[in-house]
């Protein structure tokens, strides 16, 4: 057999094996006694699409503003390609940010906006125009937009102009501060995919912040979930999705079944609010109290108790159509469960019908906290 | 449902609503202006509008040395505006961005003098600057030095004008500076711009509407200034407004005064129009 390049030897998780372009070491930002960012350690690999996701007030905007040089870090290090850049002002950092408001220059045309960083660098007008037109093309904007006022562009077009302007700067890292949050759902979905495509085309490192884990899942190579100034969990979308570290991360993922549980002496897991013992795959070390997390797509309707490892009897309360899937709300006593199924042509389920729902031990996760 | 543009009773609803204001403006604004224009075509030293129109007054003005007064007015207005722009921009920047909760107090301090009559404030300056007055008297009795008083020089006229018109430049400018979105500054800086480049490329053009309004307002006011030259300048310079006043009062030559006023309006109006054409305020404000 001929010796070809051994592709199988490439590590599965190649992203984190690359040298880090950006390293954060116990990075902290304090406002008085309050730590908005509370000692974050993180390595971001070159070429990675890294998303920091967290609710509002979690410190993610403060974090990205420190990385871009718009806020001074209180303590800790920001290391870019091996050099500490804490004291470098924003205009001296080889990084660039796309703002939530986009911060386009309203008195300038699309072309002038894109050319701004080139003009600052002192590149001559003819070369600037060539580059601006190439960027318009890359961002799927027609060339006649070059002379158009940015005020006459639609929301999606402005997004593209802002990204083109940032790319014209040719930064080592691009930061994004929730640029898609003010865009309507359908366009946002399109732009998310476009952004991921552009990430692939340019091969640059993207650091993106958002409050929507759904958005983070679509685009990111890795996600860091942030809460109260700390990174709670860092991992690939798949890791975050299938093994959330705690109740906060699992609930942040959207609709999920979370049951408060405790472990009794005989190493069995029982529900706190109703009488039921659960079969689980693994019990974390030193577990005594926590939550059992089951994703709604892993819960199914069963006809007999033996069809699944954990079965509960409840009443069907309501159903919601979610496009390709249908979500059911099942009430087990006072407890609400969510079940998701792929849409089928006909459904025999009726409201207030007594149903059996079940899941297998491998599909549930036991989390502390 | 009533149609918004009902035409049944002759006038549209919009016209009926605007009618009182239209009448008020015609009587209060257009009528005096038209009267002045009409007077400028009457024979010299006449006091009615019934005589045959003539261009005698305009001929008299072009034959006289009134251009000197025009020149003084324009020069001093231009100098005042230029000085005000240099003085007010840093203050406006501070009020909009740096002073925080102290800026309302400063606003108040800049506004309070407006509650006192301009003439009273100018006489205050006289008491301050006059020989043996507040400033020179203090210098004399404490340090024994006796410099010349700057009163009744062109320089002190300029000082008075800058002092009187400062708020009219400052407030529109402050508004202009505070209209610049902070993120555009940050974005420009993030894209590599130095502080000076941020100012030139982003701050100055984006605060231009406020600056332009300030420039125009103070220029128009300063061209019409009269008290500063009279009170502080002791008539070392004679502005055109002074000539107009003399024509209407001592000289009892209303048509000449009217013709001077019309010429002043034309000159100032043309300048303002040229500036407005060059800097389209709507375009700067992003309305088009």
């Amino acid at each position: 057999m001929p010796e070809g390049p051994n592709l199988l030897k490439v590590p599965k998780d190649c992203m984190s094996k690359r040298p880090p372009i950006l390293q954060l070491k116990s990075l902290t930002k304090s406002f008085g006694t309050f730590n908005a960012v509370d000692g974050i350690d993180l390595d971001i690999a070159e070429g990675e699409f890294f998303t920091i996701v967290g609710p509002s007030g979690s410190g993610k905007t403060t974090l990205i503003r420190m990385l871009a040089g718009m806020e001074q870090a209180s303590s800790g290090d920001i290391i870019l390609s091996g050099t500490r850049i804490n004291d470098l002002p924003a205009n001296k950092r080889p990084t660039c940010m796309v703002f939530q408001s986009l911060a386009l220059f309203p008195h300038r045309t699309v072309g002038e906006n894109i050319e701004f960083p080139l003009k600052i660098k002192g590149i001559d007008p003819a070369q600037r125009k060539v580059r601006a037109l190439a960027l318009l093309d890359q961002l799927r904007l027609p060339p006649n937009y070059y002379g158009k006022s940015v005020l006459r562009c639609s929301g999606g077009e402005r997004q593209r102009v802002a990204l083109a302007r940032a790319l014209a700067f040719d930064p080592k890292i691009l930061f994004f501060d929730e640029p898609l949050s003010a865009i309507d759902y359908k366009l946002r979905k399109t732009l998310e995919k476009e952004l991921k495509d552009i990430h692939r085309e340019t091969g640059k490192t993207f650091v993106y912040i958002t409050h929507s884990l759904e958005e983070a899942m679509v685009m990111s190579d890795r996600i860091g979930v942030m809460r109260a100034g700390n990174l709670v969990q860092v991992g690939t979308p798949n890791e975050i999705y299938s093994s959330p570290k705690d109740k906060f991360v699992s609930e942040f993922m959207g609709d999920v079944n979370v049951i408060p549980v405790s472990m009794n002496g005989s190493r069995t897991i029982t529900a706190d609010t109703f009488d039921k013992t659960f079969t689980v795959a693994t019990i974390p070390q030193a577990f005594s109290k926590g939550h059992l997390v089951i994703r709604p797509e892993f819960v199914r309707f069963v006809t007999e108790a033996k069809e699944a490892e954990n079965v509960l009897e409840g009443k069907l309360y309501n159903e919601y159509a979610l496009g390709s899937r249908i979500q059911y709300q099942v009430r087990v006593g006072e407890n609400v469960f969510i079940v998701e199924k792929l849409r089928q042509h006909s459904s025999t389920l009726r409201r207030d019908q007594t149903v059996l729902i079940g899941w297998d031990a491998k599909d549930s996760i036991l989390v502390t906290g | 449902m009533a149609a918004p543009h009902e035409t049944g009773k002759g006038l549209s609803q919009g016209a009926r609503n605007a009618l009182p204001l239209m009448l008020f403006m015609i009587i209060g604004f257009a009528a005096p202006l038209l009267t002045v224009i009409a007077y400028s075509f009457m024979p010299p030293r006449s006091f009615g509008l019934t005589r045959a129109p003539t261009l005698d007054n305009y001929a008299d003005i072009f034959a006289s040395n009134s251009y000197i007064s025009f020149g003084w007015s324009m020069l001093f207005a231009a100098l005042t505006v230029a000085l005000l722009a240099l003085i007010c921009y840093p203050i406006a920047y501070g009020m909009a961005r740096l002073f925080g909760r102290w800026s309302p107090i400063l606003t108040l301090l800049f506004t309070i003098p407006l509650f006192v009559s301009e003439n009273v404030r100018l006489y205050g300056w006289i008491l301050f600057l006059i020989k043996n007055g507040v400033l020179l008297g203090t210098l004399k009795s404490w340090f024994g030095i006796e410099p010349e008083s700057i009163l009744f020089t062109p320089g002190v006229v300029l000082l008075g004008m800058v002092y009187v018109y400062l708020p009219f430049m400052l407030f529109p400018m402050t508004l202009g500076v505070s209209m610049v979105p902070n993120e555009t500054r940050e974005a420009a800086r993030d894209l590599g711009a130095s502080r000076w480049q941020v100012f030139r490329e982003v701050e100055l053009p984006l605060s231009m509407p406020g600056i332009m309004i300030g420039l125009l307002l103070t220029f128009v006011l300063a061209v019409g200034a009269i008290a500063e030259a009279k009170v502080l300048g002791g008539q070392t310079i004679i502005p055109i407004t002074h000539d107009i006043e003399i024509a209407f009062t001592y000289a009892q030559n209303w048509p000449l005064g009217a013709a001077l006023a019309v010429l002043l309006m034309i000159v100032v109006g043309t300048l303002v129009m040229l500036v407005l054409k060059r800097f389209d305020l709507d375009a700067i404000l992003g309305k088009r």
Side-chain angles (χ1 to χ4, degrees):
Chain A
M1 241 171 92
E3 284 275 315
N6 196 345
L7 292 170
L8 290 174
K9 268 190 180 167
V10 174
K12 226 166 108 188
D13 191 8
C14 61
M15 280 304 176
S16 54
K17 297 292 184 289
R18 286 202 225 166
I21 188 168
L22 189 68
Q23 290 175 284
L24 313 183
K25 292 189 175 157
S26 36
L27 188 63
T28 301
K29 176 71 185 179
S30 318
F31 296 104
T33 54
F34 168 71
N35 288 352
V37 173
D38 197 4
I40 283 188
D41 291 294
L42 179 67
D43 283 7
I44 293 174
E46 181 151 17
E48 192 174 17
F49 196 133
F50 190 93
T51 302
I52 297 156
V53 61
S56 54
S58 58
K60 58 189 193 300
T61 298
T62 311
L63 174 61
I64 207 158
R65 285 177 63 82
M66 273 195 286
L67 302 186
M70 288 156 208
E71 299 275 357
Q72 188 73 35
S74 304
S75 65
D77 301 315
I78 306 168
I79 296 160
L80 181 79
S81 312
T83 317
R84 188 176 185 271
I85 57 162
N86 282 40
D87 302 319
L88 221 53
N91 63 329
K92 299 267 195 272
R93 292 190 190 189
T95 60
C96 191
M97 174 126 120
V98 176
F99 287 79
Q100 182 165 18
S101 70
L102 303 179
L104 292 174
F105 305 131
H107 57 302
R108 297 286 174 80
T109 62
V110 168
E112 287 167 340
N113 264 279
I114 298 174
E115 285 177 13
F116 184 84
L118 306 172
K119 189 178 175 187
I120 296 295
K121 280 180 187 165
I123 292 165
D124 72 81
Q127 264 181 291
R128 291 199 313 236
K129 186 164 182 183
V130 171
R131 182 84 184 106
L133 289 173
L135 282 162
L136 281 178
D137 183 54
Q138 187 177 9
L139 289 158
R140 296 113 169 121
L141 285 168
N144 63 349
Y145 270 52
Y146 182 82
K148 193 173 178 174
S149 163
V150 284
L151 298 165
R152 289 192 186 179
C153 292
S154 70
E157 289 162 358
R158 286 182 197 196
Q159 294 284 336
R160 295 188 177 111
V161 176
L163 184 53
R165 186 178 69 177
L167 286 171
F169 181 71
D170 196 23
K172 281 192 173 168
I173 305 180
L174 258 115
F175 297 115
F176 296 86
D177 181 6
E178 303 203 42
L180 301 180
S181 60
I183 299 259
D184 66 84
Y185 183 81
K186 193 162 170 273
L187 182 58
R188 192 165 72 232
K189 292 287 135 198
T190 312
L191 290 170
E192 281 170 7
K193 287 178 188 159
E194 251 183 57
L195 193 60
K196 190 165 185 177
D197 292 348
I198 285 160
H199 172 250
R200 197 182 158 173
E201 283 164 29
T202 58
K204 287 192 184 298
T205 310
F206 281 23
V207 178
Y208 193 100
I209 66 169
T210 177
H211 59 266
S212 156
L213 194 55
E214 197 193 341
E215 195 171 298
M217 300 292 273
V218 174
M219 299 186 291
S220 319
D221 295 321
R222 278 197 306 155
I223 295 171
V225 182
M226 207 166 161
R227 179 197 192 182
N230 281 298
L231 280 174
V232 183
Q233 188 174 4
V234 176
T236 63
N238 198 30
E239 283 165 7
I240 304 263
Y241 187 81
S242 55
S243 39
K245 204 175 168 188
D246 62 11
K247 181 170 174 267
F248 173 78
V249 177
S250 51
E251 284 185 334
F252 208 72
M253 294 290 304
D255 292 325
V256 68
N257 296 300
V258 179
I259 312 163
V261 291
S262 306
M263 189 171 76
N264 58 23
S266 52
R267 287 191 70 78
T268 51
I269 303 295
T270 52
D272 290 349
T273 53
F274 56 99
D275 183 28
K276 173 77 186 169
T277 303
F278 297 108
T279 312
V280 295
T282 48
I283 300 170
Q285 292 260 304
F287 182 86
S288 65
K289 221 170 154 40
H291 294 86
L292 189 64
V293 178
I294 315 113
R295 305 216 62 84
E297 66 270 25
F298 293 140
V299 185
R300 59 183 190 271
F301 293 108
V302 295
T303 46
E304 282 180 69
K306 65 179 182 188
E307 281 178 36
E309 288 169 83
N310 296 288
V311 173
L312 290 167
E313 190 186 289
K315 266 191 173 175
L316 181 67
Y317 185 77
N318 222 339
E319 65 172 62
Y320 317 95
L322 305 175
S324 60
R325 293 160 299 134
I326 300 182
Q327 195 179 76
Y328 298 92
Q329 192 195 114
V330 176
R331 293 199 172 171
V332 179
E334 293 293 302
N335 302 273
V336 174
F337 281 81
I338 306 160
V339 182
E340 265 180 33
K341 280 175 64 166
L342 282 176
R343 178 179 289 281
Q344 284 167 340
H345 289 296
S346 62
S347 169
T348 54
L349 294 163
R350 299 218 165 69
R351 284 181 188 177
D352 293 327
Q353 182 183 337
T354 303
V355 289
L356 288 178
I357 54 170
W359 66 89
D360 294 330
K362 67 175 169 55
D363 294 327
S364 64
I365 309 141
L366 206 52
V367 296
T368 42
Chain B
M1 222 166 60
H5 296 291
E6 206 179 323
T7 47
K9 286 174 183 167
L11 282 174
S12 73
Q13 198 181 0
R16 280 202 303 274
N17 287 344
L19 196 62
L21 190 63
M22 300 257 279
L23 284 174
F24 182 78
M25 290 305 283
I26 288 167
I27 296 164
F29 183 75
L33 206 62
L34 289 173
T35 313
V36 168
I37 294 170
Y39 258 111
S40 73
F41 293 105
M42 288 297 112
R45 291 172 216 291
S46 55
F47 293 96
L49 288 169
T50 50
R51 311 269 294 273
T54 156
L55 288 172
D56 286 358
N57 302 307
Y58 292 97
D60 286 352
I61 292 167
F62 286 109
S64 76
N65 58 3
S66 293
Y67 65 89
I68 298 173
S69 307
F70 261 108
W72 279 122
S73 283
M74 291 294 157
L75 177 69
F76 272 68
L79 286 174
T80 305
V81 169
L83 280 174
L84 279 174
L86 291 176
I87 295 167
C88 289
Y89 194 87
I91 307 176
Y93 190 89
M95 302 251 284
R97 312 237 315 122
L98 305 173
F99 299 158
R101 60 199 178 88
W102 293 95
S103 63
I105 297 168
L106 273 169
T107 305
L108 199 65
L109 288 175
F110 278 114
T111 320
I112 285 172
L114 295 176
F115 298 152
V116 181
S117 147
E118 187 184 322
N119 279 345
V120 174
R121 281 182 287 146
L122 290 178
Y123 279 108
W125 275 105
I126 293 221
L127 293 179
F128 186 76
L129 293 172
I130 204 165
K131 197 172 163 68
N132 298 324
V134 177
L135 180 67
L136 298 181
T138 311
L139 285 178
K140 187 180 169 187
S141 61
W142 286 11
F143 305 106
I145 44 175
E146 287 185 76
E148 281 295 304
S149 170
I150 58 160
L151 265 184
F152 314 126
T153 62
V156 83
V157 177
L158 197 57
L159 173 81
M161 285 170 75
V162 166
Y163 161 75
V164 167
Y165 299 121
L166 188 122
F168 302 98
M169 180 69 95
L170 181 62
F171 295 134
M173 250 187 187
T174 307
L175 198 67
V177 176
S178 58
M179 268 169 46
V180 182
N182 198 33
E183 287 199 336
T184 58
R185 290 189 188 93
E186 285 185 335
R189 192 124 173 92
D190 190 40
L191 291 163
S194 64
R195 278 180 205 284
W196 166 249
Q197 283 168 323
V198 173
F199 172 75
R200 200 188 57 200
E201 300 286 337
V202 176
E203 295 212 274
L204 196 61
L206 284 181
S207 52
M208 204 37 100
I211 297 175
M212 286 308 305
I213 291 166
L215 294 177
L216 285 176
L217 190 62
T218 46
F219 182 78
V220 171
L221 287 171
V223 164
I226 183 164
E228 291 79 10
K230 260 185 171 174
V231 177
L232 296 178
Q235 308 206 343
T236 49
I237 62 160
I238 307 288
I240 188 66
T241 39
H242 188 260
D243 282 357
I244 296 172
E245 193 191 71
I246 295 294
F248 272 104
T249 55
Y250 302 115
Q252 291 290 298
N253 192 351
W254 293 8
L256 180 70
L260 282 170
V262 168
L263 281 177
L264 185 62
M265 278 193 289
I266 290 171
V267 172
V268 174
T270 311
L271 278 173
V272 170
M273 287 301 167
L274 281 176
V275 171
L276 282 181
K277 208 174 163 189
R278 175 100 170 67
F279 296 92
D280 189 332
L281 279 184
D282 282 341
I284 298 170
L285 288 164
K287 287 193 183 134
R288 266 184 281 147

